[in-house]
Amino acid sequence: MIEMLSGALLFSYFIAGIHFVRFWRRTSDKLFLHFAVAFWLFALNQIVASIPVVTDETAGYEYLLRVLGFIVILVAIAGKNFGARERRR
């Protein structure tokens, strides 16, 4: 059951990334491209986390991809907000 839910989550992340690429192509807004990259990093994290070969469970290196995805989202939001201020001046 867990494997099926893991696969569904992986597929959802991948489809969300595709939708954000479509929005980016339509609007040329880099925010959507950053979101697509972040969701694909989440999908890659799901793949890496589902590999059963784990040498040390306490290390948690596979979750660095998720952290990187959230950093990409935060940088994109900050860039969008600070870029809007610069354009108003």
Side-chain angles (χ1 to χ4, degrees):
M1 182 69 175
I2 299 255
E3 292 84 10
M4 184 181 76
L5 291 175
S6 178
L9 189 60
L10 168 69
F11 184 69
S12 299
Y13 286 146
F14 185 71
I15 294 298
I18 289 174
H19 279 288
F20 280 119
V21 167
R22 280 184 44 207
F23 297 147
W24 170 68
R25 282 185 159 170
R26 194 177 305 159
T27 63
S28 297
D29 191 356
K30 286 186 179 182
L31 178 75
F32 294 127
L33 185 62
H34 286 113
F35 268 78
V37 168
F39 274 95
W40 286 335
L41 283 171
F42 294 157
L44 187 60
N45 176 51
Q46 198 67 29
I47 292 171
V48 170
S50 67
I51 295 174
V53 179
V54 178
T55 56
D56 184 15
E57 282 186 12
T58 60
Y61 293 121
E62 66 268 8
Y63 295 108
L64 288 177
L65 292 169
R66 186 176 294 182
V67 171
L68 184 61
F70 283 119
I71 289 172
V72 168
I73 289 174
L74 288 174
V75 167
I77 291 172
K80 183 77 172 178
N81 287 333
F82 291 126
R85 283 190 196 151
E86 294 297 322
R87 286 188 294 253
R88 280 188 242 153
R89 288 184 182 178

Coordinates of all heavy atoms in Angstrom, one line a residue:
M1 N 0.8 -1.2 0.0 CA 0.0 0.0 0.0 C 0.9 1.3 0.0 O 0.6 2.2 -0.7 CB -0.9 -0.1 1.2 CG -1.8 1.1 1.3 SD -3.1 1.0 0.1 CE -4.1 2.4 0.5
I2 N 1.9 1.2 0.8 CA 2.8 2.4 0.9 C 3.5 2.6 -0.5 O 3.7 3.8 -0.9 CB 3.9 2.2 1.9 CG1 3.2 2.0 3.3 CG2 4.9 3.3 1.9 CD1 3.3 3.2 4.2
E3 N 3.9 1.6 -1.2 CA 4.5 1.7 -2.5 C 3.6 2.4 -3.5 O 4.0 3.2 -4.3 CB 5.0 0.4 -3.0 CG 6.1 -0.3 -2.2 CD 5.6 -1.0 -1.0 OE1 4.4 -1.2 -0.9 OE2 6.5 -1.4 -0.2
M4 N 2.3 2.0 -3.4 CA 1.3 2.6 -4.3 C 1.2 4.1 -4.1 O 1.1 4.9 -5.0 CB 0.0 1.9 -4.2 CG -1.0 2.4 -5.2 SD -2.6 1.6 -5.1 CE -3.3 2.4 -3.6
L5 N 1.1 4.5 -2.8 CA 1.0 5.9 -2.5 C 2.2 6.7 -2.8 O 2.1 7.8 -3.2 CB 0.7 6.0 -1.0 CG -0.7 5.5 -0.5 CD1 -0.8 5.6 1.0 CD2 -1.8 6.3 -1.2
S6 N 3.4 6.0 -2.7 CA 4.6 6.7 -3.0 C 4.7 6.9 -4.5 O 5.1 8.0 -5.0 CB 5.8 5.8 -2.6 OG 7.0 6.4 -3.0
G7 N 4.2 5.9 -5.3 CA 4.2 6.1 -6.8 C 3.2 7.2 -7.2 O 3.4 8.0 -8.1
A8 N 2.0 7.3 -6.5 CA 1.0 8.3 -6.8 C 1.6 9.7 -6.5 O 1.4 10.6 -7.3 CB -0.3 8.0 -6.0
L9 N 2.3 9.8 -5.4 CA 2.9 11.1 -5.0 C 4.0 11.5 -6.0 O 4.1 12.6 -6.5 CB 3.5 11.0 -3.6 CG 3.9 12.3 -3.0 CD1 2.8 13.3 -2.9 CD2 4.5 12.0 -1.6
L10 N 4.8 10.5 -6.5 CA 5.8 10.8 -7.5 C 5.2 11.3 -8.8 O 5.6 12.3 -9.4 CB 6.6 9.5 -7.8 CG 7.5 9.5 -9.0 CD1 8.7 10.4 -8.8 CD2 8.0 8.1 -9.2
F11 N 4.1 10.6 -9.2 CA 3.4 11.0 -10.4 C 2.8 12.4 -10.3 O 2.8 13.2 -11.2 CB 2.3 9.9 -10.8 CG 1.6 10.2 -12.0 CD1 2.3 10.0 -13.3 CD2 0.3 10.6 -12.0 CE1 1.6 10.3 -14.4 CE2 -0.4 10.8 -13.2 CZ 0.3 10.6 -14.4
S12 N 2.3 12.7 -9.1 CA 1.6 14.0 -8.9 C 2.7 15.1 -9.0 O 2.4 16.2 -9.5 CB 1.0 14.0 -7.5 OG -0.1 13.1 -7.5
Y13 N 3.9 14.9 -8.3 CA 4.9 15.9 -8.4 C 5.4 16.1 -9.9 O 5.6 17.2 -10.3 CB 6.1 15.4 -7.6 CG 6.0 15.5 -6.1 CD1 6.6 14.6 -5.3 CD2 5.3 16.5 -5.5 CE1 6.5 14.7 -3.9 CE2 5.2 16.6 -4.1 CZ 5.8 15.7 -3.3 OH 5.7 15.8 -2.0
F14 N 5.5 15.0 -10.6 CA 5.9 15.1 -12.0 C 4.9 15.9 -12.8 O 5.3 16.8 -13.6 CB 6.2 13.7 -12.6 CG 6.7 13.8 -14.0 CD1 8.0 14.2 -14.2 CD2 5.9 13.4 -15.1 CE1 8.5 14.2 -15.5 CE2 6.5 13.4 -16.3 CZ 7.8 13.8 -16.5
I15 N 3.6 15.6 -12.7 CA 2.6 16.3 -13.4 C 2.5 17.8 -13.0 O 2.3 18.7 -13.9 CB 1.2 15.6 -13.2 CG1 1.3 14.2 -13.8 CG2 0.1 16.4 -13.8 CD1 1.5 14.2 -15.3
A16 N 2.7 18.1 -11.7 CA 2.7 19.5 -11.3 C 3.8 20.2 -11.9 O 3.6 21.4 -12.4 CB 2.8 19.5 -9.8
G17 N 5.0 19.6 -12.1 CA 6.1 20.2 -12.7 C 5.8 20.5 -14.2 O 6.1 21.6 -14.7
I18 N 5.1 19.6 -14.9 CA 4.7 19.8 -16.3 C 3.8 21.0 -16.4 O 3.9 21.8 -17.3 CB 4.2 18.5 -16.9 CG1 5.3 17.5 -17.1 CG2 3.5 18.8 -18.2 CD1 4.8 16.1 -17.5
H19 N 2.8 21.1 -15.5 CA 1.9 22.2 -15.5 C 2.6 23.5 -15.3 O 2.2 24.5 -16.0 CB 0.8 22.0 -14.5 CG -0.3 21.1 -14.9 ND1 -1.2 21.4 -15.9 CD2 -0.6 19.8 -14.6 CE1 -2.0 20.4 -16.1 NE2 -1.7 19.4 -15.3
F20 N 3.5 23.6 -14.4 CA 4.2 24.8 -14.2 C 5.1 25.2 -15.4 O 5.2 26.4 -15.7 CB 5.1 24.8 -12.9 CG 4.3 25.0 -11.7 CD1 4.2 24.0 -10.7 CD2 3.6 26.2 -11.5 CE1 3.5 24.2 -9.6 CE2 2.9 26.4 -10.3 CZ 2.8 25.4 -9.4
V21 N 5.6 24.2 -16.1 CA 6.4 24.5 -17.4 C 5.4 25.1 -18.4 O 5.7 26.0 -19.1 CB 7.1 23.3 -17.9 CG1 7.6 23.5 -19.3 CG2 8.3 22.9 -17.0
R22 N 4.2 24.6 -18.5 CA 3.2 25.1 -19.4 C 2.9 26.6 -19.1 O 2.8 27.4 -20.0 CB 1.9 24.3 -19.4 CG 2.0 23.0 -20.2 CD 0.7 22.3 -20.2 NE -0.4 23.1 -20.4 CZ -1.7 22.9 -20.0 NH1 -1.9 21.8 -19.3 NH2 -2.7 23.7 -20.2
F23 N 2.7 26.9 -17.8 CA 2.4 28.2 -17.4 C 3.6 29.1 -17.7 O 3.4 30.3 -18.1 CB 2.1 28.3 -15.9 CG 0.9 27.6 -15.5 CD1 0.8 27.0 -14.2 CD2 -0.2 27.4 -16.3 CE1 -0.3 26.3 -13.9 CE2 -1.4 26.8 -15.9 CZ -1.4 26.2 -14.7
W24 N 4.8 28.6 -17.5 CA 6.0 29.4 -17.8 C 6.1 29.7 -19.3 O 6.5 30.9 -19.6 CB 7.3 28.7 -17.3 CG 8.6 29.3 -17.8 CD1 9.1 30.5 -17.4 CD2 9.4 28.7 -18.7 NE1 10.3 30.7 -18.0 CE2 10.5 29.6 -18.9 CE3 9.5 27.6 -19.5 CZ2 11.6 29.4 -19.7 CZ3 10.5 27.3 -20.3 CH2 11.6 28.2 -20.5
R25 N 5.8 28.8 -20.1 CA 5.9 29.0 -21.6 C 4.8 30.1 -22.0 O 5.1 30.9 -22.9 CB 5.6 27.7 -22.3 CG 6.8 26.8 -22.4 CD 6.5 25.7 -23.3 NE 7.7 25.1 -23.8 CZ 7.7 23.9 -24.4 NH1 6.5 23.3 -24.6 NH2 8.8 23.4 -24.8
R26 N 3.7 30.0 -21.3 CA 2.6 31.0 -21.7 C 2.9 32.4 -21.2 O 2.6 33.3 -21.9 CB 1.3 30.5 -21.0 CG 0.1 31.1 -21.6 CD -1.2 30.6 -21.0 NE -1.3 29.1 -21.2 CZ -2.0 28.3 -20.5 NH1 -2.8 28.8 -19.5 NH2 -2.0 27.0 -20.8
T27 N 3.5 32.5 -20.0 CA 3.7 33.9 -19.4 C 5.1 34.3 -19.4 O 5.4 35.5 -19.2 CB 3.2 33.9 -18.0 OG1 4.0 33.0 -17.2 CG2 1.7 33.5 -17.9
S28 N 6.1 33.5 -19.6 CA 7.5 33.8 -19.5 C 7.9 34.3 -18.1 O 8.9 35.1 -18.0 CB 7.9 34.8 -20.6 OG 7.7 34.2 -21.9
D29 N 7.2 33.9 -17.1 CA 7.5 34.3 -15.7 C 8.4 33.2 -15.1 O 8.0 32.1 -15.1 CB 6.2 34.4 -15.0 CG 6.4 35.1 -13.6 OD1 7.6 35.4 -13.2 OD2 5.4 35.3 -12.9
K30 N 9.5 33.7 -14.6 CA 10.5 32.7 -14.1 C 10.0 32.0 -12.8 O 10.5 31.0 -12.4 CB 11.8 33.4 -13.8 CG 12.6 33.8 -15.0 CD 14.0 34.3 -14.6 CE 14.8 34.6 -15.8 NZ 16.1 35.1 -15.4
L31 N 9.0 32.6 -12.1 CA 8.5 32.0 -10.9 C 7.9 30.6 -11.3 O 8.2 29.6 -10.5 CB 7.4 32.8 -10.4 CG 6.7 32.3 -9.1 CD1 7.5 32.5 -7.9 CD2 5.3 33.0 -8.9
F32 N 7.2 30.4 -12.4 CA 6.7 29.1 -12.8 C 7.8 28.1 -13.1 O 7.7 27.0 -12.8 CB 5.7 29.3 -13.9 CG 4.5 30.1 -13.6 CD1 4.1 31.2 -14.4 CD2 3.7 29.7 -12.5 CE1 3.0 31.9 -14.1 CE2 2.6 30.4 -12.2 CZ 2.2 31.5 -13.0
L33 N 8.9 28.6 -13.7 CA 10.0 27.7 -14.0 C 10.6 27.2 -12.7 O 11.0 26.0 -12.6 CB 11.0 28.4 -14.9 CG 12.2 27.5 -15.4 CD1 11.7 26.4 -16.2 CD2 13.1 28.4 -16.2
H34 N 10.8 28.1 -11.7 CA 11.4 27.7 -10.5 C 10.5 26.7 -9.8 O 11.0 25.7 -9.2 CB 11.6 28.9 -9.6 CG 12.7 29.8 -10.0 ND1 12.6 31.0 -10.5 CD2 14.0 29.5 -10.0 CE1 13.7 31.5 -10.7 NE2 14.7 30.6 -10.4
F35 N 9.2 26.9 -9.8 CA 8.2 25.9 -9.2 C 8.3 24.6 -9.9 O 8.2 23.5 -9.3 CB 6.8 26.5 -9.2 CG 6.4 27.2 -8.0 CD1 6.9 28.5 -7.8 CD2 5.7 26.7 -7.0 CE1 6.5 29.3 -6.7 CE2 5.4 27.4 -5.9 CZ 5.8 28.7 -5.7
A36 N 8.5 24.6 -11.2 CA 8.6 23.3 -12.0 C 9.8 22.6 -11.5 O 9.8 21.3 -11.3 CB 8.6 23.6 -13.5
V37 N 11.0 23.3 -11.4 CA 12.2 22.6 -11.0 C 12.1 22.1 -9.5 O 12.5 21.0 -9.2 CB 13.4 23.6 -11.1 CG1 14.6 23.1 -10.4 CG2 13.7 24.0 -12.5
A38 N 11.4 22.9 -8.7 CA 11.2 22.4 -7.3 C 10.4 21.1 -7.2 O 10.7 20.2 -6.5 CB 10.6 23.5 -6.5
F39 N 9.3 21.1 -8.0 CA 8.4 19.9 -8.0 C 9.2 18.7 -8.6 O 9.0 17.6 -8.2 CB 7.1 20.2 -8.7 CG 6.1 20.7 -7.7 CD1 5.9 22.1 -7.7 CD2 5.4 19.9 -6.9 CE1 5.0 22.7 -6.8 CE2 4.4 20.5 -6.0 CZ 4.2 21.9 -6.0
W40 N 10.0 18.9 -9.6 CA 10.8 17.8 -10.1 C 11.8 17.3 -9.1 O 12.2 16.1 -9.1 CB 11.4 18.2 -11.5 CG 10.4 18.2 -12.5 CD1 9.2 17.5 -12.6 CD2 10.4 18.9 -13.7 NE1 8.5 17.8 -13.7 CE2 9.2 18.7 -14.5 CE3 11.3 19.8 -14.3 CZ2 9.0 19.2 -15.7 CZ3 11.1 20.4 -15.5 CH2 9.9 20.1 -16.2
L41 N 12.4 18.2 -8.3 CA 13.3 17.8 -7.2 C 12.5 17.0 -6.2 O 13.1 16.0 -5.7 CB 13.9 19.0 -6.6 CG 15.1 19.7 -7.4 CD1 15.5 21.0 -6.7 CD2 16.2 18.8 -7.4
F42 N 11.3 17.4 -5.9 CA 10.5 16.6 -5.0 C 10.2 15.2 -5.6 O 10.2 14.2 -4.8 CB 9.1 17.2 -4.7 CG 9.2 18.6 -4.0 CD1 8.2 19.5 -4.1 CD2 10.3 18.9 -3.2 CE1 8.3 20.7 -3.4 CE2 10.4 20.1 -2.5 CZ 9.3 21.0 -2.6
A43 N 10.0 15.1 -6.9 CA 9.8 13.8 -7.5 C 11.1 13.0 -7.4 O 11.0 11.8 -7.1 CB 9.4 14.0 -9.0
L44 N 12.2 13.6 -7.7 CA 13.5 12.9 -7.6 C 13.7 12.4 -6.2 O 14.2 11.3 -5.9 CB 14.6 13.8 -8.1 CG 16.0 13.2 -8.2 CD1 16.0 12.0 -9.2 CD2 17.0 14.2 -8.6
N45 N 13.3 13.2 -5.2 CA 13.5 12.9 -3.8 C 12.6 11.6 -3.5 O 13.0 10.7 -2.8 CB 13.0 14.0 -2.9 CG 13.0 13.6 -1.4 OD1 14.0 13.1 -1.0 ND2 11.9 13.9 -0.8
Q46 N 11.4 11.6 -4.1 CA 10.5 10.4 -3.9 C 11.1 9.2 -4.4 O 11.0 8.1 -3.8 CB 9.2 10.7 -4.5 CG 8.1 9.9 -4.0 CD 7.7 10.1 -2.6 OE1 7.9 11.2 -2.1 NE2 7.3 9.1 -1.9
I47 N 11.8 9.3 -5.6 CA 12.5 8.1 -6.2 C 13.6 7.7 -5.3 O 13.8 6.5 -5.0 CB 13.0 8.5 -7.6 CG1 11.8 8.7 -8.5 CG2 13.9 7.4 -8.1 CD1 12.2 9.2 -9.9
V48 N 14.5 8.6 -4.9 CA 15.6 8.2 -4.0 C 15.2 7.7 -2.7 O 15.8 6.7 -2.2 CB 16.5 9.5 -3.9 CG1 17.6 9.2 -2.8 CG2 17.1 9.9 -5.2
A49 N 14.1 8.2 -2.1 CA 13.7 7.7 -0.8 C 13.0 6.4 -0.9 O 13.0 5.6 0.1 CB 12.7 8.7 -0.2
S50 N 12.6 6.0 -2.1 CA 11.9 4.7 -2.2 C 12.9 3.5 -2.5 O 12.5 2.4 -2.5 CB 10.9 4.7 -3.3 OG 11.4 4.9 -4.5
I51 N 14.2 3.9 -2.8 CA 15.2 2.9 -3.0 C 15.5 2.1 -1.7 O 15.8 2.8 -0.7 CB 16.5 3.5 -3.6 CG1 16.2 4.1 -5.0 CG2 17.6 2.4 -3.7 CD1 17.4 4.9 -5.6
P52 N 15.3 0.8 -1.7 CA 15.4 0.1 -0.4 C 16.8 0.0 0.1 O 17.0 -0.4 1.3 CB 14.9 -1.3 -0.8 CG 15.0 -1.4 -2.2 CD 15.0 -0.1 -2.8
V53 N 17.9 0.3 -0.6 CA 19.2 0.2 -0.1 C 19.6 1.4 0.7 O 19.9 2.5 0.1 CB 20.2 0.0 -1.3 CG1 21.6 -0.1 -0.8 CG2 19.8 -1.2 -2.1
V54 N 19.5 1.3 2.0 CA 19.8 2.4 2.9 C 20.9 1.9 3.8 O 20.7 0.9 4.6 CB 18.6 2.9 3.7 CG1 19.0 4.0 4.7 CG2 17.5 3.3 2.8
T55 N 22.1 2.6 3.8 CA 23.2 2.1 4.6 C 23.1 2.6 6.0 O 23.4 1.9 7.0 CB 24.5 2.6 4.0 OG1 24.5 4.0 3.9 CG2 24.8 1.9 2.7
D56 N 22.6 3.8 6.2 CA 22.5 4.4 7.5 C 21.2 5.2 7.6 O 21.1 6.3 6.9 CB 23.7 5.3 7.8 CG 23.6 5.9 9.2 OD1 22.9 5.4 10.1 OD2 24.4 6.8 9.5
E57 N 20.2 4.8 8.3 CA 18.9 5.4 8.4 C 19.0 6.8 9.0 O 18.1 7.7 8.7 CB 17.9 4.6 9.1 CG 17.3 3.4 8.3 CD 16.2 2.7 9.1 OE1 15.8 3.3 10.1 OE2 15.9 1.6 8.7
T58 N 19.9 7.0 9.8 CA 20.0 8.3 10.6 C 20.6 9.4 9.7 O 20.5 10.6 10.1 CB 20.8 8.2 11.9 OG1 22.1 7.7 11.6 CG2 20.1 7.2 12.8
A59 N 21.2 9.1 8.6 CA 21.9 10.1 7.8 C 20.9 11.0 7.1 O 21.0 12.2 7.2 CB 22.8 9.5 6.8
G60 N 19.9 10.5 6.4 CA 18.9 11.3 5.8 C 19.3 12.1 4.6 O 18.8 13.2 4.4
Y61 N 20.4 11.7 3.9 CA 20.9 12.5 2.8 C 19.9 12.6 1.6 O 19.9 13.5 0.9 CB 22.2 11.9 2.2 CG 23.3 12.0 3.2 CD1 24.0 10.8 3.7 CD2 23.7 13.2 3.7 CE1 25.0 10.9 4.6 CE2 24.8 13.3 4.6 CZ 25.4 12.1 5.0 OH 26.4 12.2 5.9
E62 N 19.0 11.6 1.5 CA 18.0 11.7 0.4 C 17.0 12.8 0.6 O 16.4 13.3 -0.4 CB 17.2 10.4 0.3 CG 16.3 10.1 1.5 CD 17.0 9.2 2.5 OE1 18.2 9.0 2.5 OE2 16.2 8.9 3.5
Y63 N 16.9 13.4 1.8 CA 16.0 14.5 2.0 C 16.6 15.8 1.7 O 15.9 16.9 1.7 CB 15.4 14.5 3.4 CG 14.6 13.3 3.6 CD1 15.0 12.2 4.4 CD2 13.3 13.1 3.0 CE1 14.2 11.1 4.6 CE2 12.6 12.0 3.1 CZ 13.0 11.0 3.9 OH 12.3 9.9 4.1
L64 N 17.9 15.9 1.3 CA 18.5 17.1 0.9 C 17.9 17.6 -0.4 O 17.8 18.8 -0.7 CB 20.0 16.9 0.7 CG 20.8 16.8 2.0 CD1 22.3 16.5 1.6 CD2 20.7 18.0 2.8
L65 N 17.4 16.7 -1.3 CA 16.7 17.1 -2.5 C 15.4 17.9 -2.1 O 15.1 18.9 -2.8 CB 16.4 15.9 -3.4 CG 17.5 15.2 -4.0 CD1 17.1 13.9 -4.6 CD2 18.2 16.1 -5.0
R66 N 14.7 17.4 -1.1 CA 13.5 18.1 -0.7 C 13.8 19.5 -0.2 O 13.2 20.5 -0.5 CB 12.7 17.3 0.3 CG 11.4 17.9 0.7 CD 10.7 17.1 1.7 NE 10.3 15.8 1.0 CZ 9.7 14.8 1.6 NH1 9.3 15.0 2.8 NH2 9.4 13.7 1.0
V67 N 14.9 19.6 0.6 CA 15.3 20.9 1.2 C 15.7 21.8 0.0 O 15.4 23.0 0.0 CB 16.5 20.7 2.2 CG1 17.1 22.0 2.6 CG2 16.0 19.9 3.4
L68 N 16.4 21.3 -0.9 CA 16.8 22.1 -2.1 C 15.6 22.6 -2.9 O 15.6 23.7 -3.3 CB 17.7 21.3 -3.0 CG 18.3 22.0 -4.2 CD1 19.2 23.2 -3.8 CD2 19.1 21.1 -5.0
G69 N 14.6 21.8 -3.0 CA 13.3 22.2 -3.6 C 12.7 23.3 -2.9 O 12.2 24.3 -3.5
F70 N 12.6 23.2 -1.6 CA 12.0 24.3 -0.8 C 12.8 25.6 -0.9 O 12.3 26.7 -0.9 CB 11.8 23.9 0.6 CG 10.6 23.0 0.8 CD1 10.8 21.7 1.3 CD2 9.3 23.4 0.5 CE1 9.7 20.9 1.5 CE2 8.3 22.6 0.6 CZ 8.4 21.3 1.2
I71 N 14.2 25.5 -1.0 CA 15.0 26.6 -1.1 C 14.8 27.3 -2.5 O 14.7 28.5 -2.6 CB 16.5 26.3 -1.0 CG1 16.8 26.0 0.5 CG2 17.4 27.4 -1.4 CD1 18.1 25.4 0.8
V72 N 14.6 26.5 -3.5 CA 14.3 27.0 -4.9 C 13.0 27.8 -4.8 O 12.9 28.9 -5.4 CB 14.2 25.9 -5.9 CG1 13.6 26.4 -7.2 CG2 15.6 25.3 -6.2
I73 N 12.0 27.3 -4.1 CA 10.7 28.0 -4.0 C 10.8 29.3 -3.3 O 10.3 30.3 -3.7 CB 9.6 27.0 -3.4 CG1 9.2 25.9 -4.3 CG2 8.4 27.8 -3.0 CD1 8.3 24.9 -3.7
L74 N 11.6 29.3 -2.2 CA 11.7 30.5 -1.4 C 12.5 31.5 -2.2 O 12.2 32.7 -2.1 CB 12.5 30.2 -0.1 CG 11.7 29.4 1.0 CD1 12.5 29.0 2.2 CD2 10.5 30.3 1.4
V75 N 13.5 31.1 -2.9 CA 14.3 32.1 -3.7 C 13.4 32.7 -4.8 O 13.5 33.9 -5.1 CB 15.5 31.4 -4.3 CG1 16.2 32.2 -5.4 CG2 16.6 31.1 -3.2
A76 N 12.6 31.8 -5.4 CA 11.7 32.3 -6.5 C 10.7 33.3 -5.9 O 10.4 34.3 -6.6 CB 10.9 31.1 -7.1
I77 N 10.1 33.0 -4.8 CA 9.1 34.0 -4.2 C 9.8 35.3 -3.8 O 9.3 36.4 -4.1 CB 8.4 33.3 -3.0 CG1 7.5 32.2 -3.5 CG2 7.6 34.3 -2.2 CD1 6.9 31.3 -2.4
A78 N 11.0 35.2 -3.2 CA 11.7 36.4 -2.8 C 12.1 37.2 -4.0 O 12.0 38.4 -4.0 CB 12.9 36.0 -2.0
G79 N 12.5 36.5 -5.1 CA 12.9 37.2 -6.3 C 11.7 37.9 -6.9 O 11.8 39.0 -7.5
K80 N 10.6 37.3 -6.9 CA 9.3 37.8 -7.5 C 8.9 39.1 -6.7 O 8.6 40.1 -7.2 CB 8.2 36.8 -7.5 CG 7.0 37.3 -8.1 CD 7.1 37.3 -9.5 CE 5.7 37.5 -10.1 NZ 5.7 37.6 -11.6
N81 N 9.0 39.0 -5.3 CA 8.6 40.1 -4.5 C 9.6 41.3 -4.6 O 9.2 42.4 -4.7 CB 8.4 39.7 -3.1 CG 7.2 38.9 -2.9 OD1 6.2 39.0 -3.6 ND2 7.3 38.0 -1.9
F82 N 10.9 41.0 -4.5 CA 11.8 42.1 -4.6 C 12.0 42.7 -6.0 O 12.3 43.8 -6.2 CB 13.2 41.7 -4.1 CG 13.2 41.4 -2.6 CD1 13.6 40.2 -2.1 CD2 12.7 42.4 -1.7 CE1 13.6 40.0 -0.7 CE2 12.7 42.2 -0.3 CZ 13.1 40.9 0.1
G83 N 11.7 41.8 -7.0 CA 11.7 42.3 -8.4 C 10.6 43.3 -8.7 O 10.7 44.2 -9.4
A84 N 9.4 43.0 -8.1 CA 8.3 43.9 -8.2 C 8.6 45.3 -7.6 O 8.2 46.3 -8.1 CB 7.0 43.3 -7.6
R85 N 9.3 45.3 -6.5 CA 9.6 46.6 -5.9 C 10.6 47.4 -6.7 O 10.5 48.6 -6.8 CB 10.3 46.3 -4.5 CG 9.3 46.0 -3.4 CD 10.0 46.0 -2.1 NE 9.1 45.3 -1.1 CZ 9.5 44.7 -0.1 NH1 10.8 44.7 0.2 NH2 8.7 44.1 0.7
E86 N 11.5 46.7 -7.3 CA 12.5 47.4 -8.2 C 11.8 47.9 -9.4 O 12.2 49.0 -9.9 CB 13.6 46.4 -8.6 CG 14.5 46.0 -7.4 CD 15.2 47.1 -6.8 OE1 15.7 48.0 -7.5 OE2 15.3 47.2 -5.6
R87 N 10.8 47.2 -10.0 CA 10.1 47.7 -11.2 C 9.3 48.9 -10.9 O 9.1 49.8 -11.7 CB 9.3 46.6 -11.8 CG 10.1 45.6 -12.5 CD 9.2 44.6 -13.2 NE 8.4 43.9 -12.3 CZ 8.5 42.6 -12.0 NH1 9.5 41.9 -12.6 NH2 7.7 42.0 -11.1
R88 N 8.8 49.1 -9.6 CA 7.9 50.2 -9.3 C 8.7 51.5 -9.1 O 8.2 52.6 -9.2 CB 7.2 49.9 -8.0 CG 6.0 49.0 -8.2 CD 5.2 49.0 -6.9 NE 5.2 47.6 -6.5 CZ 5.1 47.1 -5.3 NH1 5.0 47.9 -4.3 NH2 5.1 45.8 -5.0
R89 N 10.0 51.4 -8.8 CA 10.8 52.6 -8.6 C 11.2 53.2 -9.8 O 11.2 53.3 -10.8 CB 12.1 52.2 -7.8 CG 11.8 51.8 -6.4 CD 13.1 51.5 -5.7 NE 12.8 51.1 -4.3 CZ 13.7 50.8 -3.5 NH1 15.0 50.8 -3.8 NH2 13.4 50.5 -2.3

